[in-house]
Amino acid sequence: MIYNISKFKFRSCLTILFFLNTMFFLNAQPRREYNGLLQKQEESSLPKSTVSIVMPVQKARVEPVTKLIKDKDNELIITGGWLLQSANKVNASGGTISQPQFSCETWYNATVPGTVLSTLVDQGVYPEPDFGLNNLVIPDTLCRMDWWYKTNFSSPEKSQHKKAWLILNGINYRAEVWLNGVSVGFIEGAFKRGEFDVTNWIHRDKMNSLAIHILPPFNPGIPHEQSPTAGIGPNGGVLCMDGPTFIASEGWDWMPGIRDRNIGVWQDVRLKFTDDVILKDPQVITDLPLPDYSYADISVHVDIYNSDIWPKEVRVFAKIEEIEVSQLVKLEPGELREIEFSPKQFPELKLNNPRLWWPNGYGKQELYNLELRVENDTQVSDRKMVRFGIRELSYDLSVNTKDQKQLRIDYNPIRDLTENKPIINNINRKEAIKGTLIPALSDWVDESQLVTSRDTSTAPYLVIKVNGQPIFCRGGNWGMDDMMKRVSREQLEPAFQIHQQSNYNMIRNWTGESTEEVFYELCDEYGMLVWNDFWLSTQGANIDKVDQKLFMDNATDVVKRFRNHPSIAIWCPRNEGYAPVNLEKALAQMLVEEDGTRHYQGNSRYLSTRTSGPWHYMKNPAEYYTQRADGFSTELGTMSVPTAATIRSFMPLKDQWPISDTWYYHDFHKGSPEYLEDINEKYGEGTSLDDFCKKAQLVNYDSHRAMFESWNSKMWNKASGVLLWMTHPAWPSMIWTTYSSDFETYGSYFGAKKACEPIHIQMNLHDKKVVVINTTLIAYEALNASLEIIDINGKKISRKNVEVNAVANQLTECFTAELPSTLPSVYLVRLTLKDKKQILSENEYWRRNENNTSFSEFNKLGNSELVMKTIRLDGNKLKFEITNKGKTPAIGLKFNLRNTDTGKFFLPAFFSEGYFTLFPGEKKTIDVAWNTSEVNNIELAGEAYNTTIKSLPIRK
């Protein structure tokens, strides 16, 4: 669609009216907790540093050189030659700026894809905002200004006589698009693509000039700055009113206000050249005859558009590996039509013995490629490549029937959504048990046609099933991928590797903050189911006055764009609440029409789930079992201070110790008094940064293991999933995450990793039952489960072992631990699960007897004599052995790879074990892998709570 200047002026008037309405709304409404600040906080309450912030040296501008990089679907990414400047410093119209000869001498070299702030940081205008208190020197005016992006490029030689399309995959928040002096389009919302027919305006034989005018959100709000005196402050604020944008960028209790609110050209810009008939938004639907996996029916839907003024007859081809089918299509001028390839028409699309996609731990992540192309007289007019997985989602749900009875159904959208309208009504809901509501069946539904669930042990809670198998969901939330939306594959993939190594199988895309292609691609590849929210936040706390049409335009485009990713399992309208009624109806209907293969979950808590939280540190982890573990929880969290090395990487030396304002600015708040108290009581007050952090890691390990193990203890007995708030850090943080922003893995990571082992033995903290958790589809027989009690010197006090069969995807009880009546002040409970060849799981709990309140004996231990040796080095994978050759136990063993020249850790590195105990004479084999074949100047470093280890050089 082409927009002219008068429309832009009209939009500007609307903007002013919207702003005035917002101000009236804020003044008229009662003040609520999380509506944000109405004025800047007092200077005295801001965090203070003991050192001055060092401003960077601005980079000299270099002459921009644009490259067109070929990507799939014959698209060309416009990269390398972008420039940026604020509209305040550009006294010209879009028609003038988008001319090749327009001078940009005072502009910055721009980072595209990227935000305004990422460009200004990359160019040395402002310092890295995630270091120390640097964010405070970046002006909050960046989000209240218009900005211009510009680049010049030449058309490819073979573009003559072709249709030309300009594609913007993501801008924030609004954009006017100009090409060669002509306004070609307008985009609103951070998550909607812009696709414009620029055939009549692109130059084939001379330089082109593209200019993008970025307009900020209507309601940027005022960020709260965390400090010891100001506290956590409000979560977000008025930015929530703008709907489809990065609402967390106003500031939350896990991230400060991002000074540009992530505005900019945050995803790539592309050109595409086609003939007159093009393909749009294909969808692949895979249908299995569950519980049979012997074949899969593959259906392909795709929109085909004739952009010409003449009728067209074309042939459309669909190819999956060696299978190719086609059909002839006649299109009228300007006609857009959906066509389908189905097994009824094409028996070849019934695939025998398909390779299935499974979540992590349940099987492989098999993926297929579909090639679609449309030909006109043997000339390819357009093509699209689609990667998909063969899998089928279904859900065990409790619903209310017309006569107000609870019914447990096996809900399969592919099978049940036959009328092209929702069968679940989230508006008419009723409490099933205290704190949990269930939705109603829609009035038109004949409940006798639904399949009732055979398993009611998890009622009334949600159970997600893949390929007919219930998935015990464990993982965490991503509040945002990166505070400045630096979201390339290279930057994001380590996080997914860590999630896979943590044995997680689900990520919640909280309020849709991480909506880009590579996020979903990596979820597909690493087996992470996605709970995908849209852009509404906490009901009763955050404002939800949004433009429904704008919201729905963005939501519809997100669904069309990403629906082929097998990882997406849930669509959800908001964080901790229901959508407004009209928006709820629109979303529910749109998701049936545009997807029809997934469940639309009307609320992230209370509806078929338990309540959220708690998010604070709990001194007695047994309370997770007795008070928290229940149902499906989308948020559960605690404190998570990283290692000393990580803190040094994001904080000035003088702010590192003792605990300073800078700690609080980096989220050292919620639950921190109890956290500090517990560290001090158990291990003694920290005497230095290193001493405090090593003690914190033992607390982190125990707390994060307990959260997951408490849910493990009730697997399929009213418990079906738990997601941490959160696993992934958007910036360097002291709370909630299980690894640090530099991808260092510490106590929180290894505690969670241990609890989420696919085959896992544990002792429940509340009832002392020893149980085996098997979250695989493999049954294990004749296993030996043992419990040993060992004193601090390594003396074995007692032992019990039994033979067990670990049923696939189930909990198996072994025995109840019977502890001797007389126990030392400190002792270790070590659980081991073995088959005839190897240890499958080993799990350790340091305990105190009833007369002891601390582990102070750890502080009296001398150094251990620990020796590492290489067993096998294969490229970027190392197997090594650690042996305790001394007379003192080594507690909390932790390893890193280290650069021998700089002394810095080599990250990311993926170790199989961490924070375990080696008694005198014991040894353990550890595996580690890293993301490069480089082995020069790398050594293996290790330490324990009570000793350091001589490093081991890694050599070929």
Side-chain angles (χ1 to χ4, degrees):
M1 181 179 293
I2 306 305
Y3 292 78
N4 58 33
I5 298 297
S6 62
K7 289 189 177 182
F8 290 144
K9 290 181 178 178
F10 177 70
R11 287 182 180 278
S12 299
C13 293
L14 287 179
T15 300
I16 294 170
L17 290 172
F18 192 89
F19 175 78
L20 293 173
N21 178 65
T22 299
M23 292 298 99
F24 173 80
F25 178 83
L26 287 175
N27 291 322
Q29 294 296 312
R31 182 82 167 97
R32 292 185 294 176
E33 185 179 2
Y34 294 114
N35 287 358
L37 303 181
L38 298 183
Q39 60 186 14
K40 291 183 179 180
Q41 68 195 71
E42 292 292 331
E43 183 78 19
S44 60
S45 71
L46 296 176
K48 307 294 191 301
S49 175
T50 57
V51 296
S52 299
I53 294 173
V54 178
M55 296 299 289
V57 176
Q58 185 171 326
K59 293 181 180 179
R61 181 183 179 279
V62 298
E63 191 61 31
V65 178
T66 303
K67 296 180 181 178
L68 301 181
I69 300 177
K70 189 174 181 179
D71 198 47
K72 67 176 185 178
D73 302 337
N74 289 334
E75 293 178 356
L76 301 169
I77 304 172
I78 306 174
T79 189
W82 289 93
L83 297 167
L84 172 75
Q85 187 54 275
S86 70
N88 295 340
K89 296 181 180 180
V90 183
N91 187 23
S93 67
T96 300
I97 296 169
S98 60
Q99 298 288 353
Q101 66 273 19
F102 182 78
S103 175
C104 298
E105 287 299 318
T106 62
W107 291 41
Y108 303 106
N109 295 109
T111 301
V112 176
T115 63
V116 167
L117 182 57
S118 60
T119 285
L120 298 177
V121 170
D122 290 345
Q123 295 306 308
V125 180
Y126 300 116
E128 288 283 349
D130 57 4
F131 184 84
L133 301 181
N134 285 359
N135 196 52
L136 295 175
V137 303
I138 303 174
D140 201 53
T141 53
L142 301 182
C143 63
R144 306 169 202 280
M145 303 161 60
D146 296 8
W147 295 84
W148 281 99
Y149 286 84
K150 175 182 167 67
T151 189
N152 296 332
F153 64 90
S154 298
S155 294
E157 293 182 4
K158 296 182 180 180
S159 67
Q160 298 291 341
H161 312 299
K162 294 279 189 179
K163 300 284 290 189
W165 306 89
L166 178 65
I167 303 166
L168 279 69
N169 277 322
I171 59 87
N172 186 37
Y173 173 68
R174 296 165 293 149
E176 302 168 356
V177 184
W178 297 79
L179 179 66
N180 298 328
V182 177
S183 168
V184 299
F186 189 84
I187 317 172
E188 290 183 280
F191 310 105
K192 189 179 190 304
R193 294 166 294 179
E195 183 172 294
F196 309 105
D197 184 347
V198 294
T199 305
N200 294 332
W201 298 287
I202 196 166
H203 297 156
R204 314 290 178 154
D205 53 0
K206 60 181 179 178
M207 189 64 69
N208 292 276
S209 187
L210 172 63
I212 302 172
H213 185 193
I214 295 292
L215 295 97
F218 297 108
N219 301 284
I222 302 172
H224 172 87
E225 314 296 357
Q226 298 187 69
S227 74
T229 55
I232 304 172
N235 277 343
V238 295
L239 185 59
C240 293
M241 296 175 66
D242 291 335
T245 187
F246 304 107
I247 61 174
S249 65
E250 189 178 346
W252 230 262
D253 53 13
W254 44 271
M255 189 175 72
I258 310 306
R259 298 324 199 209
D260 66 345
R261 306 299 188 269
N262 297 132
I263 62 173
V265 183
W266 75 276
Q267 294 200 57
D268 58 31
V269 180
R270 299 175 176 232
L271 285 171
K272 184 170 182 176
F273 296 94
T274 69
D275 285 346
D276 295 319
V277 180
I278 63 170
L279 302 166
K280 298 174 68 69
D281 298 321
Q283 182 182 20
V284 183
I285 297 175
T286 61
D287 190 2
L288 295 165
L290 298 175
D292 185 3
Y293 302 153
S294 63
Y295 70 91
D297 286 335
I298 312 296
S299 298
V300 178
H301 301 254
V302 63
D303 287 343
I304 183 168
Y305 172 56
N306 178 13
S307 65
D308 200 5
I309 61 172
W310 302 102
K312 295 286 182 181
E313 182 175 85
V314 295
R315 182 165 291 276
V316 184
F317 295 83
K319 184 179 181 181
I320 302 172
E321 295 187 342
E322 303 304 316
I323 300 170
E324 184 172 67
V325 294
S326 68
Q327 57 181 292
L328 198 64
V329 180
K330 295 181 180 180
L331 295 168
E332 295 300 316
E335 182 181 0
L336 175 70
R337 187 196 311 174
E338 179 185 297
I339 64 169
E340 179 184 8
F341 295 89
S342 72
K344 291 182 179 179
Q345 303 166 280
F346 306 98
E348 304 97 312
L349 294 178
K350 180 177 180 179
L351 270 63
N352 292 318
N353 302 312
R355 308 186 308 273
L356 301 184
W357 185 94
W358 291 96
N360 185 35
Y362 282 84
K364 294 182 179 180
Q365 290 75 55
E366 297 283 3
L367 295 166
Y368 287 78
N369 288 310
L370 163 70
E371 179 191 2
L372 286 166
R373 69 183 189 277
V374 55
E375 292 185 359
N376 183 9
D377 296 329
T378 72
Q379 179 75 28
V380 175
S381 180
D382 192 16
R383 71 172 74 240
K384 282 194 176 294
M385 297 293 296
V386 179
R387 193 172 70 165
F388 67 97
I390 296 178
R391 64 95 184 90
E392 188 161 338
L393 291 163
S394 55
Y395 311 82
D396 277 359
L397 285 176
S398 294
V399 294
N400 284 316
T401 63
K402 294 175 185 177
D403 56 1
Q404 299 301 302
K405 292 181 180 178
Q406 291 186 29
L407 178 66
R408 190 72 170 170
I409 62 172
D410 174 15
Y411 170 48
N412 185 322
I414 292 176
R415 179 191 63 214
D416 296 332
L417 294 176
T418 57
E419 299 297 322
N420 207 35
K421 51 187 177 179
I423 72 165
I424 305 296
N425 184 330
N426 293 315
I427 298 171
N428 295 336
R429 49 193 181 263
K430 182 179 180 182
E431 190 170 64
I433 59 174
K434 186 177 180 180
T436 297
L437 295 87
I438 59 175
L441 288 174
S442 297
D443 291 340
W444 63 270
V445 175
D446 180 355
E447 65 188 72
S448 67
Q449 299 300 307
L450 300 176
V451 177
T452 56
S453 176
R454 292 176 293 177
D455 185 1
T456 59
S457 62
T458 49
Y461 299 110
L462 168 72
V463 174
I464 297 172
K465 296 191 288 188
V466 177
N467 304 329
Q469 296 289 342
I471 306 301
F472 196 61
C473 294
R474 296 175 297 187
N477 287 255
W478 283 41
M480 186 185 284
D481 36 33
D482 180 78
M483 69 180 298
M484 289 196 294
K485 300 303 291 181
R486 291 169 168 170
V487 291
S488 67
R489 172 175 281 265
E490 180 182 26
Q491 289 160 317
L492 288 185
E493 189 163 14
F496 286 90
Q497 292 172 307
I498 290 173
H499 276 68
Q500 184 190 59
Q501 293 293 311
S502 301
N503 305 305
Y504 299 149
N505 56 30
M506 176 169 269
I507 292 171
R508 179 176 170 219
N509 186 10
W510 179 84
T511 69
E513 304 278 303
S514 303
T515 306
E516 62 269 343
E517 185 71 39
V518 69
F519 171 82
Y520 297 106
E521 288 177 348
L522 289 165
C523 286
D524 294 344
E525 293 165 20
Y526 286 94
M528 298 297 128
L529 293 171
V530 180
W531 178 299
N532 206 99
D533 290 350
F534 292 110
W535 313 288
L536 298 171
S537 190
T538 317
Q539 190 172 18
N542 290 122
I543 304 171
D544 58 5
K545 184 179 176 66
V546 298
D547 179 334
Q548 180 169 318
K549 182 180 184 306
L550 174 64
F551 195 100
M552 287 302 303
D553 285 348
N554 278 252
T556 302
D557 201 57
V558 163
V559 173
K560 287 183 175 183
R561 183 176 179 183
F562 300 120
R563 61 192 173 187
N564 293 311
H565 289 279
S567 53
I568 300 175
I570 293 284
W571 298 113
C572 185
R574 78 183 303 161
N575 170 62
E576 299 177 336
Y578 301 94
V581 171
N582 288 340
L583 184 57
E584 165 66 26
K585 292 178 179 178
L587 281 169
Q589 184 60 42
M590 179 273 288
L591 287 164
V592 172
E593 294 175 359
E594 303 296 350
D595 186 343
T597 68
R598 297 172 176 90
H599 176 49
Y600 171 56
Q601 170 74 19
N603 191 337
S604 71
R605 65 175 178 182
Y606 300 140
L607 186 70
S608 305
T609 58
R610 73 179 298 279
T611 186
S612 303
W615 301 269
H616 62 271
Y617 180 75
M618 297 178 67
K619 292 183 66 174
N620 181 9
E623 291 181 5
Y624 284 118
Y625 292 79
T626 57
Q627 300 178 22
R628 310 298 177 180
D630 198 29
F632 196 115
S633 176
T634 57
E635 292 188 24
L636 182 72
T638 188
M639 291 293 298
S640 185
V641 169
T643 63
T646 290
I647 291 175
R648 290 189 180 99
S649 73
F650 68 80
M651 199 177 295
L653 175 62
K654 291 185 179 180
D655 289 351
Q656 293 167 13
W657 189 260
I659 293 171
S660 66
D661 285 19
T662 307
W663 284 54
Y664 284 89
Y665 195 63
H666 286 263
D667 316 319
F668 189 73
H669 271 298
K670 205 173 187 75
S672 57
E674 297 88 350
Y675 184 72
L676 286 172
E677 187 178 279
D678 209 30
I679 291 172
N680 294 342
E681 288 179 1
K682 287 181 176 176
Y683 304 106
E685 289 193 25
T687 58
S688 66
L689 178 65
D690 290 278
D691 184 60
F692 175 79
C693 288
K694 78 174 183 180
K695 292 171 178 176
Q697 298 322 310
L698 300 187
V699 169
N700 289 343
Y701 185 99
D702 287 343
S703 60
H704 284 76
R705 177 177 61 178
M707 287 190 288
F708 281 116
E709 286 192 339
S710 64
W711 254 260
N712 288 350
S713 73
K714 298 185 71 175
M715 181 183 184
W716 306 136
N717 179 19
K718 300 294 184 185
S720 56
V722 59
L723 305 180
L724 294 187
W725 180 262
M726 49 183 66
T727 50
H728 177 76
W731 91 309
S733 180
M734 300 284 190
I735 195 169
W736 292 321
T737 60
T738 57
Y739 52 92
S740 58
S741 56
D742 60 359
F743 301 120
E744 160 76 312
T745 51
Y746 50 98
S748 307
Y749 164 82
F750 283 102
K753 174 183 171 71
K754 176 60 64 176
C756 295
E757 291 174 314
I759 180 80
H760 175 67
I761 189 168
Q762 69 180 57
M763 182 179 71
N764 300 338
L765 298 183
H766 67 306
D767 61 12
K768 303 298 185 291
K769 286 184 178 180
V770 175
V771 298
V772 172
I773 311 297
N774 182 359
T775 51
T776 78
L777 300 181
I778 302 169
Y780 292 82
E781 296 184 350
L783 302 181
N784 182 277
S786 67
L787 178 150
E788 290 181 307
I789 298 177
I790 309 168
D791 73 11
I792 197 169
N793 297 310
K795 180 182 177 181
K796 295 181 180 179
I797 298 172
S798 67
R799 176 183 173 86
K800 180 173 183 176
N801 65 286
V802 299
E803 184 176 288
V804 298
N805 296 326
V807 180
N809 210 17
Q810 293 291 334
L811 176 151
T812 301
E813 291 192 7
C814 301
F815 55 85
T816 299
E818 298 176 358
L819 304 182
S821 57
T822 302
L823 286 165
S825 58
V826 173
Y827 59 94
L828 183 76
V829 176
R830 178 178 282 170
L831 304 177
T832 308
L833 185 68
K834 300 179 180 178
D835 63 14
K836 294 180 180 179
K837 296 181 179 180
Q838 62 185 338
I839 294 175
L840 300 176
S841 174
E842 189 171 75
N843 199 2
E844 302 173 342
Y845 303 83
W846 277 105
R847 311 279 291 171
R848 301 158 290 175
N849 70 23
E850 59 186 16
N851 299 317
N852 188 15
T853 60
S854 76
F855 293 106
S856 59
E857 289 187 40
F858 290 177
N859 300 327
K860 302 173 185 177
L861 293 171
N863 291 333
S864 303
E865 185 183 349
L866 298 166
V867 177
M868 298 185 292
K869 72 173 184 179
T870 297
I871 296 177
R872 183 173 63 252
L873 175 61
D874 182 11
N876 63 337
K877 296 179 181 179
L878 171 70
K879 184 182 290 290
F880 68 95
E881 184 180 83
I882 177 78
T883 304
N884 187 346
K885 293 189 174 182
K887 298 180 180 180
T888 305
I891 295 174
L893 276 155
K894 167 73 163 67
F895 305 93
N896 280 96
L897 298 180
R898 185 166 57 200
N899 185 294
T900 55
D901 292 335
T902 65
K904 294 183 178 180
F905 290 159
F906 192 89
L907 299 171
F910 312 103
F911 287 86
S912 59
E913 294 277 355
Y915 297 97
F916 58 89
T917 299
L918 273 187
F919 288 109
E922 291 186 331
K923 60 185 177 182
K924 186 182 280 284
T925 300
I926 308 293
D927 294 300
V928 59
W930 55 99
N931 285 347
T932 173
S933 58
E934 176 65 42
V935 297
N936 296 322
N937 304 321
I938 299 176
E939 63 183 6
L940 180 64
E943 61 181 354
Y945 183 89
N946 56 309
T947 192
T948 57
I949 308 169
K950 184 179 179 181
S951 60
L952 175 68
I954 298 175
R955 297 186 179 93
K956 292 183 180 178

